[in-house]
Amino acid sequence: MPSIMLFEPEIPPNTGNLIRLCANTGSQLHLVEPLGFSLSDKAVRRAGLDYHELTHVHRHADLEQARAAVPGRLLAFSTRGTTRYDRVDYRADDVLLFGPETRGLPDDVLETLPASQRLYLPMVPGSRSLNLANAAAVAFFEAWRQLNFTGAK
């Protein structure tokens, strides 16, 4: 099952929403510090409702530690991506990486990956970006669809 990794997330409700998404899909959520909030933050808990206990949330001190713990293919999502998200053949060991809400993934992270692993979601011209939780949900469901919704009823 692909997993979702958030690099330095800043907005608690987005992480809470992704906790809920991961609980309902059987995926794992990886958080790369520093976090812009505490996981006990009321906004995280409200958005995640009672799904915290049903989700495997892992915290990592930095991206290097996260990559050591989660060795699958890294697919980085960015408005500066070069490959459209639906033109990838997703694999069960993929790690879908998303950057902080206010600035996205840094160039030094994106530049370590080949163009085929720097993905974007299409938007109309003049748009800045999608909400982090929405973007992650769109990307995850495309990956899961390609994997025939493994584990779903």
Side-chain angles (χ1 to χ4, degrees):
M1 176 71 72
S3 59
I4 296 173
M5 184 176 288
L6 302 182
F7 179 82
E8 302 179 359
E10 301 166 325
I11 300 175
N14 283 326
T15 298
N17 287 333
L18 290 171
I19 287 170
R20 189 172 183 174
L21 175 100
C22 288
N24 283 289
T25 60
S27 183
Q28 296 191 18
L29 180 62
H30 296 271
L31 305 176
V32 178
E33 296 181 342
L35 308 182
F37 51 86
S38 164
L39 283 177
S40 63
D41 187 305
K42 203 183 302 184
V44 174
R45 297 204 66 74
R46 185 179 314 118
L49 297 173
D50 57 349
Y51 290 92
H52 288 79
E53 295 77 29
L54 303 174
T55 305
H56 299 287
V57 179
H58 308 275
R59 291 177 72 167
H60 307 280
D62 54 37
L63 189 55
E64 184 178 324
Q65 184 188 83
R67 293 301 298 142
V70 189
R73 178 177 64 166
L74 193 63
L75 298 173
F77 288 79
S78 171
T79 57
R80 300 180 318 279
T82 52
T83 301
R84 203 169 79 187
Y85 84 108
D86 61 337
R87 295 190 173 150
V88 171
D89 290 325
Y90 289 92
R91 305 185 314 220
D93 70 336
D94 284 339
V95 179
L96 311 182
L97 177 66
F98 297 86
E101 293 90 339
T102 60
R103 60 189 187 280
L105 288 168
D107 288 336
D108 63 328
V109 171
L110 289 171
E111 291 167 0
T112 65
L113 300 170
S116 62
Q117 290 175 234
R118 295 184 306 231
L119 310 182
Y120 72 93
L121 297 172
M123 297 182 294
V124 298
S127 296
R128 286 190 349 213
S129 65
L130 293 169
N131 168 274
L132 172 65
N134 291 339
V138 167
F140 181 84
F141 270 87
E142 172 60 17
W144 201 23
R145 181 193 67 79
Q146 286 188 24
L147 297 168
N148 296 312
F149 297 107
T150 302
K153 59 179 181 175

